[in-house]
Amino acid sequence: MSLKQRFSANELRIRCPPTCGLLQGTGNKTTLPRTHLLVWAAVSSDGGPESSALVDDNGSEEDYSYEDLCQANPRYLQPGGEQLAINELISDGSVVCAEALWDHVTMDDQELGFKAGDVIQVLEASNKDWWWGRNEDKEAWFPASFVRLRVNQEELSENSSSTQGEEQEEDAGSNRHKHCESKRQMRTNVVQEIMDTERVYIKHLKDICEGYIRQCRKHTGMFTVAQLATIFGNIEDIYKFQRKFLKDLEKQYNKEEPHLSEIGSCFLQHQEGFAIYSEYCNNHPGACAELSRLMKQSRYRHFFEACRLLQQMIDISLDGFLLTPVQKICKYPLQLAELLKYTTQEHSDYDNIKAAYEAMKNVACLINERKRKLESIDKIAQWQVSIVGWEGLDILDRSSELIHSGELTRLTKQGKSQQRTFFLFDHQLVSCKKDLLRRDMLYYRGRVDMDDMELVDLEDGRDKDWNLSLKNAFKLVSRTADEAHLLCAKKQEDKVRWLQACGDERRRVQEDREMGMEIPENQKKLAMLNAQKAGHGKSKGYSGFPVAPPHQNLHPLHQRHVTVPTSVPQQQVFALAEPKRKPSLFWHTFNKLTPFKK
């Protein structure tokens, strides 16, 4: 049974009324919470009631209303409805699987780490924010907003139990027929999910544009044009684009036989249009920061809540609604992958679905890469602040990720050796020296422009150019100047890792250039400013002069993966997607026994 079928079975029990239970009252009477009455009056007084129907570019209304969506798709609009169906499936003994939208990076043993695209078995969904699940051999908590549930939770095994010999031959034809019917039904489920979620997504975008942006523009005393541009970005352009996209999807959707629908061409036709999501995701961190600042004032909290209630929107805060475009663009490749799985090669839509999957996977990959980089720049900024005697430009001016680090011996032409700790970032290699007494403290000693360098692998033995006996050595030679750096590793395997890392650095720089991967300047400046504030006022050194704190452990990215401790919130683009963690019982007990706070 698919999740959609399970929701249909429970429709009478969890069906959502037009107001979705957001307004207080009994019977047919509806009232607002007292704290919002004045703000509601201010919001509603600026304009009369507006139609909730969707209007396309030609001025014609769509043939589904908000009430229709609530009744037909409680899964997507009813808070708690999804959990109810999941737990019923689990209690019935069914296996419920979800696919990761993004990486969940954690160092907490009580949390389940995974990468985008990983499959997680959901074991319990009683908490709306954190679910209990299994990935490979580990069971732990994971954020529910980081995954997408598969539509088809139970698949027909091709090797189903059957009797041997003649009975098996007699049943073979029947089993094949059942398998074909099952695959058609599974494709129907996925197609319907794509259509349903797309319609609901349009409803959410419409609510943001009409329920929030329109009201904000009427209150010029509360919002400047620049503030609205920061908070909402280009979401109105996304709304306009998605309406056209949905209109084309509806044309290709076969209502009578959904499994015959040919929707792959729609994704290919509009694949260039999805590029507008990059601008939105770039803007989203700034939107989070600005919205967080405004929400500290009660009048803005009440205003936004009144906008939501007036528009009869579901019980999600504005920051949650603003996250939906980021979630949506990452869901497309997962939906198309599942659709491709249940599309036979003989199907007329197979080639288009396969091409659409690759196209949308590339778009989502770009979003995920930007997320990882935004997560890493805060740690890189903290690391730079901890380095004593830093000179020149900030590391973030040219770099956004650490690729490899370790100790190497630097040799001069005179044969003098210098033990240094090197950090290889994209575009540059930074050299530091450890303090003799405090080995956890690093002093800046210089950097190398990797864009100008050519990597030369050296054989063990005497080098002809430098007339030195070498072992586990390699050289960085400038292409434009008379400059070279001779470096030696302690072990052969260390040298191999450095050579591989240098190759990775060049490939990643090229990939970033091709993908248009750039971190906004304001984000870099914000990261450095926050790091400098955090490092300000630290303990003084031996002579009374301020010194940097012990250097931060900066872990390289392995397979584009940043390790972020749980004590540091995942920053920027997806900060709003991750729910707050439950307090540890250890700290709860510890605080009772100690006179100071954690």
Side-chain angles (χ1 to χ4, degrees), residues 366-383:
L366 180 63
I367 303 300
N368 249 321
E369 287 302 298
R370 186 166 282 111
K371 166 187 175 283
R372 292 192 186 102
K373 284 181 177 288
L374 285 170
E375 288 176 347
S376 69
I377 63 174
D378 288 311
K379 289 189 70 70
I380 292 175
Q382 293 166 13
W383 170 84

Side-chain angles (χ1 to χ4, degrees), residues 198 202 238-246 277 332:
E198 201 65 33
I202 285 290
I238 291 177
Y239 176 38
K240 184 177 181 180
F241 165 76
Q242 291 292 155
R243 279 161 52 190
K244 294 178 181 178
F245 177 65
L246 176 58
Y277 278 86
Y332 281 131

Side-chain angles (χ1 to χ4, degrees), residues 292-332:
S292 177
R293 187 182 68 82
L294 294 180
M295 285 300 193
K296 293 177 181 178
Q297 303 178 47
S298 60
R299 68 168 183 154
Y300 285 99
R301 292 197 301 271
H302 294 159
F303 175 84
F304 287 131
E305 179 65 1
C307 289
R308 182 183 71 80
L309 295 171
L310 182 65
Q311 189 70 13
Q312 295 188 357
M313 300 164 71
I314 62 174
D315 191 7
I316 298 177
S317 59
L318 175 56
D319 51 17
F321 277 109
L322 294 179
L323 186 67
T324 52
V326 183
Q327 292 175 316
K328 185 64 177 177
I329 198 65
C330 293
K331 281 184 180 180
Y332 281 131

